[in-house]
Structure formats: C-alpha cells, structure tokens
Amino acid sequence: MLMRTDPFREMDRIVQQLSGTSGTWSKPSVMPMDAYRDGDEYVIAFDLPGVSTEAIDIDVERNMLTVKAERRPVAKADSVKMELSERPLGVFSRQIMLADTLDTERIQADYDAGVLTLRIPIAERAKPRKVSIGVGSGRKQISG
C-alpha cells in the first residue's frame, strides 16, 4: 500500500542516533513508524513522544503523505545544570507514497501516548467485487 521514497533515510536515521545529532528544517530526522492493513483501513503509526499536537503537521498532495513534527527543548531555569541529555530534539519528518487504492480524502488522525496514528480507508473501487454473468445476452455486469 505504500512505497519508501528514499532507501537511504534509514541509514541516515541510524547515523543520527549514533552521532546524537538533531534534525533541522533543512535536514529533518526520520521518525520510526509501523504500517499495516486492518480490515478496510490502512493504518500508519508514528512514534512522536514528547511532541505536542500543535507541533505536528500532516499534508497530503496527490498520493504523497508528509508528516512533520518538532520536539523543542523544555524551558529550564538558569539554575538547572543538565547532567545527561539523550532525548532527541529538533525536526522529524517522513514522506510516504500512498497507493491509488487508498482514499486520501478521508484520512483520520489521532494522537495518544506519543503515537500519531493515521487511518486511511481502502477506496471502494479497490475492494473486491463479484461479476455476474448474464444468460443469453453475452454481456457481463459488475455488481458492487
């Protein structure tokens, strides 16, 4: 149902994790995701812990789904001395090419416990349907 648009992004994600660098608007980090079919819906779940809903942007243009998010540092008082900082900050982005069989007009988005879940219905035209055979007419009809 989807195609990866950049095979080297996973390598970039691993390098960023090992080097501890944050994503920027010009070179965002990749966010981890799962994608699966659940009945008549295609589900994509993105891990975005610590990101507010106001910092998440979801766009669909034709069949290209783009999800961008930004995790900002928590404001700290001047007296706070950071001892350890491992949680990645910065910009995260993912672009996914969706199949024509998905109904991008009816995408639903939910955010709970740091997971952004998109539910995309399978388009009616992509669902299996029976073909009835007419007797004597020589024509076939498709029934929905």
PDB file of all heavy atoms in Angstrom, residues 6 14 21 23 28 32 35 45 60 64-65 73 78 81 85 93 97 99-101 108 110-111 121 129-131 139:
ATOM      1  N   ASP A   6      12.803   7.052  -0.167  1.00  0.00           N
ATOM      2  CA  ASP A   6      14.242   7.257  -0.087  1.00  0.00           C
ATOM      3  C   ASP A   6      14.879   6.095   0.672  1.00  0.00           C
ATOM      4  O   ASP A   6      14.787   6.022   1.897  1.00  0.00           O
ATOM      5  CB  ASP A   6      14.549   8.585   0.611  1.00  0.00           C
ATOM      6  CG  ASP A   6      16.031   8.906   0.620  1.00  0.00           C
ATOM      7  OD1 ASP A   6      16.839   8.077   0.163  1.00  0.00           O
ATOM      8  OD2 ASP A   6      16.388  10.002   1.077  1.00  0.00           O
ATOM      9  N   ILE A  14      20.018   5.932  11.460  1.00  0.00           N
ATOM     10  CA  ILE A  14      20.968   5.205  12.309  1.00  0.00           C
ATOM     11  C   ILE A  14      22.186   6.077  12.609  1.00  0.00           C
ATOM     12  O   ILE A  14      22.648   6.143  13.750  1.00  0.00           O
ATOM     13  CB  ILE A  14      21.380   3.877  11.636  1.00  0.00           C
ATOM     14  CG1 ILE A  14      20.171   2.929  11.593  1.00  0.00           C
ATOM     15  CG2 ILE A  14      22.556   3.233  12.362  1.00  0.00           C
ATOM     16  CD1 ILE A  14      20.371   1.708  10.724  1.00  0.00           C
ATOM     17  N   THR A  21      23.039  13.717  16.717  1.00  0.00           N
ATOM     18  CA  THR A  21      22.661  14.980  16.088  1.00  0.00           C
ATOM     19  C   THR A  21      21.150  15.101  15.999  1.00  0.00           C
ATOM     20  O   THR A  21      20.435  14.120  15.912  1.00  0.00           O
ATOM     21  CB  THR A  21      23.261  15.101  14.674  1.00  0.00           C
ATOM     22  OG1 THR A  21      22.811  13.992  13.898  1.00  0.00           O
ATOM     23  CG2 THR A  21      24.768  15.111  14.722  1.00  0.00           C
ATOM     24  N   GLY A  23      17.610  16.766  14.209  1.00  0.00           N
ATOM     25  CA  GLY A  23      17.109  17.143  12.897  1.00  0.00           C
ATOM     26  C   GLY A  23      16.883  18.642  12.801  1.00  0.00           C
ATOM     27  O   GLY A  23      16.566  19.303  13.785  1.00  0.00           O
ATOM     28  N   PRO A  28      15.657  17.073   8.263  1.00  0.00           N
ATOM     29  CA  PRO A  28      14.971  16.511   9.429  1.00  0.00           C
ATOM     30  C   PRO A  28      15.368  15.069   9.710  1.00  0.00           C
ATOM     31  O   PRO A  28      15.792  14.345   8.819  1.00  0.00           O
ATOM     32  CB  PRO A  28      13.494  16.607   9.048  1.00  0.00           C
ATOM     33  CG  PRO A  28      13.476  16.691   7.565  1.00  0.00           C
ATOM     34  CD  PRO A  28      14.771  17.296   7.137  1.00  0.00           C
ATOM     35  N   PRO A  32      10.368   6.865  13.591  1.00  0.00           N
ATOM     36  CA  PRO A  32      10.014   5.462  13.401  1.00  0.00           C
ATOM     37  C   PRO A  32       8.519   5.307  13.153  1.00  0.00           C
ATOM     38  O   PRO A  32       7.718   6.086  13.661  1.00  0.00           O
ATOM     39  CB  PRO A  32      10.417   4.789  14.708  1.00  0.00           C
ATOM     40  CG  PRO A  32      10.994   5.827  15.573  1.00  0.00           C
ATOM     41  CD  PRO A  32      10.864   7.151  14.916  1.00  0.00           C
ATOM     42  N   ALA A  35       3.338   0.298   9.669  1.00  0.00           N
ATOM     43  CA  ALA A  35       2.240   0.406   8.703  1.00  0.00           C
ATOM     44  C   ALA A  35       1.654  -0.980   8.491  1.00  0.00           C
ATOM     45  O   ALA A  35       2.385  -1.952   8.328  1.00  0.00           O
ATOM     46  CB  ALA A  35       2.754   0.981   7.384  1.00  0.00           C
ATOM     47  N   ALA A  45       1.343   4.228  12.040  1.00  0.00           N
ATOM     48  CA  ALA A  45       1.590   4.753  13.379  1.00  0.00           C
ATOM     49  C   ALA A  45       3.020   5.286  13.461  1.00  0.00           C
ATOM     50  O   ALA A  45       3.968   4.578  13.117  1.00  0.00           O
ATOM     51  CB  ALA A  45       1.366   3.658  14.421  1.00  0.00           C
ATOM     52  N   VAL A  60      -1.237  16.012   2.632  1.00  0.00           N
ATOM     53  CA  VAL A  60      -1.380  15.042   1.554  1.00  0.00           C
ATOM     54  C   VAL A  60      -1.507  15.821   0.265  1.00  0.00           C
ATOM     55  O   VAL A  60      -2.376  16.683   0.124  1.00  0.00           O
ATOM     56  CB  VAL A  60      -2.623  14.146   1.736  1.00  0.00           C
ATOM     57  CG1 VAL A  60      -2.755  13.189   0.559  1.00  0.00           C
ATOM     58  CG2 VAL A  60      -2.544  13.377   3.028  1.00  0.00           C
ATOM     59  N   MET A  64       1.153  11.680  -2.085  1.00  0.00           N
ATOM     60  CA  MET A  64       2.311  11.849  -1.207  1.00  0.00           C
ATOM     61  C   MET A  64       1.856  12.347   0.163  1.00  0.00           C
ATOM     62  O   MET A  64       1.317  13.436   0.293  1.00  0.00           O
ATOM     63  CB  MET A  64       3.303  12.846  -1.802  1.00  0.00           C
ATOM     64  CG  MET A  64       4.553  13.033  -0.953  1.00  0.00           C
ATOM     65  SD  MET A  64       5.576  11.559  -0.794  1.00  0.00           S
ATOM     66  CE  MET A  64       6.229  11.433  -2.441  1.00  0.00           C
ATOM     67  N   LEU A  65       2.066  11.509   1.185  1.00  0.00           N
ATOM     68  CA  LEU A  65       1.752  11.867   2.562  1.00  0.00           C
ATOM     69  C   LEU A  65       3.024  12.373   3.215  1.00  0.00           C
ATOM     70  O   LEU A  65       4.065  11.716   3.151  1.00  0.00           O
ATOM     71  CB  LEU A  65       1.225  10.642   3.316  1.00  0.00           C
ATOM     72  CG  LEU A  65       1.041  10.800   4.818  1.00  0.00           C
ATOM     73  CD1 LEU A  65      -0.157  11.676   5.120  1.00  0.00           C
ATOM     74  CD2 LEU A  65       0.888   9.437   5.478  1.00  0.00           C
ATOM     75  N   PRO A  73      13.146  21.879  23.075  1.00  0.00           N
ATOM     76  CA  PRO A  73      13.663  21.656  24.436  1.00  0.00           C
ATOM     77  C   PRO A  73      12.692  22.235  25.466  1.00  0.00           C
ATOM     78  O   PRO A  73      12.006  23.218  25.211  1.00  0.00           O
ATOM     79  CB  PRO A  73      14.997  22.403  24.459  1.00  0.00           C
ATOM     80  CG  PRO A  73      15.011  23.261  23.252  1.00  0.00           C
ATOM     81  CD  PRO A  73      13.992  22.756  22.294  1.00  0.00           C
ATOM     82  N   ASP A  78      17.607  29.085  34.974  1.00  0.00           N
ATOM     83  CA  ASP A  78      19.053  29.318  34.866  1.00  0.00           C
ATOM     84  C   ASP A  78      19.849  28.465  35.853  1.00  0.00           C
ATOM     85  O   ASP A  78      21.016  28.160  35.619  1.00  0.00           O
ATOM     86  CB  ASP A  78      19.366  30.802  35.101  1.00  0.00           C
ATOM     87  CG  ASP A  78      18.848  31.675  33.974  1.00  0.00           C
ATOM     88  OD1 ASP A  78      18.645  31.139  32.852  1.00  0.00           O
ATOM     89  OD2 ASP A  78      18.641  32.885  34.195  1.00  0.00           O
ATOM     90  N   LYS A  81      21.370  22.628  35.807  1.00  0.00           N
ATOM     91  CA  LYS A  81      22.574  22.186  35.112  1.00  0.00           C
ATOM     92  C   LYS A  81      22.279  20.804  34.533  1.00  0.00           C
ATOM     93  O   LYS A  81      22.047  19.847  35.279  1.00  0.00           O
ATOM     94  CB  LYS A  81      23.753  22.126  36.081  1.00  0.00           C
ATOM     95  CG  LYS A  81      25.040  21.676  35.419  1.00  0.00           C
ATOM     96  CD  LYS A  81      26.174  21.604  36.412  1.00  0.00           C
ATOM     97  CE  LYS A  81      27.371  20.969  35.763  1.00  0.00           C
ATOM     98  NZ  LYS A  81      28.396  20.650  36.735  1.00  0.00           N
ATOM     99  N   SER A  85      21.584  14.314  28.524  1.00  0.00           N
ATOM    100  CA  SER A  85      20.527  14.666  27.570  1.00  0.00           C
ATOM    101  C   SER A  85      20.586  13.689  26.405  1.00  0.00           C
ATOM    102  O   SER A  85      21.418  13.830  25.508  1.00  0.00           O
ATOM    103  CB  SER A  85      20.712  16.099  27.077  1.00  0.00           C
ATOM    104  OG  SER A  85      19.724  16.420  26.140  1.00  0.00           O
ATOM    105  N   SER A  93      10.627  14.149  10.200  1.00  0.00           N
ATOM    106  CA  SER A  93       9.789  14.160   9.004  1.00  0.00           C
ATOM    107  C   SER A  93       9.770  12.788   8.369  1.00  0.00           C
ATOM    108  O   SER A  93      10.737  12.031   8.464  1.00  0.00           O
ATOM    109  CB  SER A  93      10.315  15.191   8.008  1.00  0.00           C
ATOM    110  OG  SER A  93       9.546  15.186   6.835  1.00  0.00           O
ATOM    111  N   MET A  97       4.756   7.522  -0.099  1.00  0.00           N
ATOM    112  CA  MET A  97       3.950   7.467  -1.312  1.00  0.00           C
ATOM    113  C   MET A  97       2.838   6.449  -1.077  1.00  0.00           C
ATOM    114  O   MET A  97       3.099   5.282  -0.849  1.00  0.00           O
ATOM    115  CB  MET A  97       4.804   7.049  -2.511  1.00  0.00           C
ATOM    116  CG  MET A  97       4.021   6.967  -3.796  1.00  0.00           C
ATOM    117  SD  MET A  97       3.483   8.560  -4.392  1.00  0.00           S
ATOM    118  CE  MET A  97       4.979   9.127  -5.146  1.00  0.00           C
ATOM    119  N   ALA A  99      -0.611   4.317  -2.146  1.00  0.00           N
ATOM    120  CA  ALA A  99      -1.153   3.669  -3.343  1.00  0.00           C
ATOM    121  C   ALA A  99      -2.446   4.360  -3.771  1.00  0.00           C
ATOM    122  O   ALA A  99      -3.142   4.980  -2.965  1.00  0.00           O
ATOM    123  CB  ALA A  99      -1.412   2.192  -3.060  1.00  0.00           C
ATOM    124  N   ASP A 100      -2.787   4.227  -5.046  1.00  0.00           N
ATOM    125  CA  ASP A 100      -4.034   4.781  -5.583  1.00  0.00           C
ATOM    126  C   ASP A 100      -5.257   4.109  -4.980  1.00  0.00           C
ATOM    127  O   ASP A 100      -6.369   4.621  -5.097  1.00  0.00           O
ATOM    128  CB  ASP A 100      -4.084   4.620  -7.107  1.00  0.00           C
ATOM    129  CG  ASP A 100      -3.087   5.525  -7.807  1.00  0.00           C
ATOM    130  OD1 ASP A 100      -2.748   6.579  -7.235  1.00  0.00           O
ATOM    131  OD2 ASP A 100      -2.654   5.172  -8.914  1.00  0.00           O
ATOM    132  N   THR A 101      -5.078   2.974  -4.344  1.00  0.00           N
ATOM    133  CA  THR A 101      -6.196   2.221  -3.780  1.00  0.00           C
ATOM    134  C   THR A 101      -6.654   2.774  -2.433  1.00  0.00           C
ATOM    135  O   THR A 101      -7.604   2.252  -1.854  1.00  0.00           O
ATOM    136  CB  THR A 101      -5.813   0.744  -3.617  1.00  0.00           C
ATOM    137  OG1 THR A 101      -4.647   0.664  -2.792  1.00  0.00           O
ATOM    138  CG2 THR A 101      -5.537   0.102  -4.969  1.00  0.00           C
ATOM    139  N   GLN A 108      -8.032   9.837   8.820  1.00  0.00           N
ATOM    140  CA  GLN A 108      -8.289  10.224  10.207  1.00  0.00           C
ATOM    141  C   GLN A 108      -6.981  10.174  10.970  1.00  0.00           C
ATOM    142  O   GLN A 108      -6.197   9.230  10.809  1.00  0.00           O
ATOM    143  CB  GLN A 108      -9.287   9.279  10.867  1.00  0.00           C
ATOM    144  CG  GLN A 108     -10.670   9.340  10.269  1.00  0.00           C
ATOM    145  CD  GLN A 108     -11.601   8.343  10.928  1.00  0.00           C
ATOM    146  OE1 GLN A 108     -11.180   7.379  11.550  1.00  0.00           O
ATOM    147  NE2 GLN A 108     -12.894   8.579  10.787  1.00  0.00           N
ATOM    148  N   ASP A 110      -5.170  10.518  14.882  1.00  0.00           N
ATOM    149  CA  ASP A 110      -5.312  10.539  16.335  1.00  0.00           C
ATOM    150  C   ASP A 110      -3.919  10.547  16.959  1.00  0.00           C
ATOM    151  O   ASP A 110      -2.990   9.936  16.417  1.00  0.00           O
ATOM    152  CB  ASP A 110      -6.080   9.306  16.833  1.00  0.00           C
ATOM    153  CG  ASP A 110      -7.517   9.289  16.359  1.00  0.00           C
ATOM    154  OD1 ASP A 110      -8.238  10.257  16.642  1.00  0.00           O
ATOM    155  OD2 ASP A 110      -7.903   8.305  15.704  1.00  0.00           O
ATOM    156  N   TYR A 111      -3.791  11.218  18.095  1.00  0.00           N
ATOM    157  CA  TYR A 111      -2.513  11.283  18.800  1.00  0.00           C
ATOM    158  C   TYR A 111      -2.754  10.899  20.250  1.00  0.00           C
ATOM    159  O   TYR A 111      -3.530  11.548  20.950  1.00  0.00           O
ATOM    160  CB  TYR A 111      -1.942  12.691  18.687  1.00  0.00           C
ATOM    161  CG  TYR A 111      -0.547  12.846  19.254  1.00  0.00           C
ATOM    162  CD1 TYR A 111       0.524  12.170  18.695  1.00  0.00           C
ATOM    163  CD2 TYR A 111      -0.298  13.673  20.334  1.00  0.00           C
ATOM    164  CE1 TYR A 111       1.805  12.310  19.202  1.00  0.00           C
ATOM    165  CE2 TYR A 111       0.972  13.830  20.848  1.00  0.00           C
ATOM    166  CZ  TYR A 111       2.018  13.144  20.277  1.00  0.00           C
ATOM    167  OH  TYR A 111       3.287  13.283  20.779  1.00  0.00           O
ATOM    168  N   PRO A 121      -8.863   4.856   4.784  1.00  0.00           N
ATOM    169  CA  PRO A 121      -9.760   3.825   4.253  1.00  0.00           C
ATOM    170  C   PRO A 121      -9.300   3.319   2.883  1.00  0.00           C
ATOM    171  O   PRO A 121      -8.733   4.074   2.084  1.00  0.00           O
ATOM    172  CB  PRO A 121     -11.110   4.540   4.117  1.00  0.00           C
ATOM    173  CG  PRO A 121     -10.974   5.823   4.851  1.00  0.00           C
ATOM    174  CD  PRO A 121      -9.513   6.148   4.920  1.00  0.00           C
ATOM    175  N   ARG A 129     -15.045  -7.292  -5.778  1.00  0.00           N
ATOM    176  CA  ARG A 129     -16.469  -7.309  -6.089  1.00  0.00           C
ATOM    177  C   ARG A 129     -16.766  -8.468  -7.024  1.00  0.00           C
ATOM    178  O   ARG A 129     -15.894  -8.950  -7.733  1.00  0.00           O
ATOM    179  CB  ARG A 129     -16.922  -5.984  -6.692  1.00  0.00           C
ATOM    180  CG  ARG A 129     -16.143  -5.576  -7.923  1.00  0.00           C
ATOM    181  CD  ARG A 129     -16.392  -4.115  -8.265  1.00  0.00           C
ATOM    182  NE  ARG A 129     -15.611  -3.689  -9.380  1.00  0.00           N
ATOM    183  CZ  ARG A 129     -14.347  -3.285  -9.329  1.00  0.00           C
ATOM    184  NH1 ARG A 129     -13.714  -3.276  -8.196  1.00  0.00           N
ATOM    185  NH2 ARG A 129     -13.712  -2.920 -10.414  1.00  0.00           N
ATOM    186  N   LYS A 130     -17.996  -8.917  -7.007  1.00  0.00           N
ATOM    187  CA  LYS A 130     -18.428 -10.045  -7.831  1.00  0.00           C
ATOM    188  C   LYS A 130     -18.814  -9.551  -9.219  1.00  0.00           C
ATOM    189  O   LYS A 130     -19.330  -8.454  -9.388  1.00  0.00           O
ATOM    190  CB  LYS A 130     -19.639 -10.733  -7.203  1.00  0.00           C
ATOM    191  CG  LYS A 130     -19.344 -11.405  -5.891  1.00  0.00           C
ATOM    192  CD  LYS A 130     -18.626 -12.686  -6.130  1.00  0.00           C
ATOM    193  CE  LYS A 130     -18.440 -13.421  -4.820  1.00  0.00           C
ATOM    194  NZ  LYS A 130     -17.636 -14.582  -4.979  1.00  0.00           N
ATOM    195  N   VAL A 131     -18.593 -10.383 -10.197  1.00  0.00           N
ATOM    196  CA  VAL A 131     -19.019 -10.115 -11.567  1.00  0.00           C
ATOM    197  C   VAL A 131     -20.118 -11.119 -11.879  1.00  0.00           C
ATOM    198  O   VAL A 131     -19.898 -12.330 -11.805  1.00  0.00           O
ATOM    199  CB  VAL A 131     -17.845 -10.258 -12.563  1.00  0.00           C
ATOM    200  CG1 VAL A 131     -18.326 -10.077 -13.988  1.00  0.00           C
ATOM    201  CG2 VAL A 131     -16.739  -9.283 -12.221  1.00  0.00           C
ATOM    202  N   ARG A 139     -23.289 -10.289 -22.266  1.00  0.00           N
ATOM    203  CA  ARG A 139     -22.632  -9.191 -21.535  1.00  0.00           C
ATOM    204  C   ARG A 139     -22.436  -9.584 -20.091  1.00  0.00           C
ATOM    205  O   ARG A 139     -23.236 -10.312 -19.516  1.00  0.00           O
ATOM    206  CB  ARG A 139     -23.478  -7.925 -21.599  1.00  0.00           C
ATOM    207  CG  ARG A 139     -23.522  -7.323 -22.995  1.00  0.00           C
ATOM    208  CD  ARG A 139     -24.271  -6.031 -22.973  1.00  0.00           C
ATOM    209  NE  ARG A 139     -25.711  -6.346 -22.966  1.00  0.00           N
ATOM    210  CZ  ARG A 139     -26.650  -5.551 -22.509  1.00  0.00           C
ATOM    211  NH1 ARG A 139     -26.335  -4.404 -21.977  1.00  0.00           N
ATOM    212  NH2 ARG A 139     -27.909  -5.918 -22.561  1.00  0.00           N
TER     213      ARG A 139
END
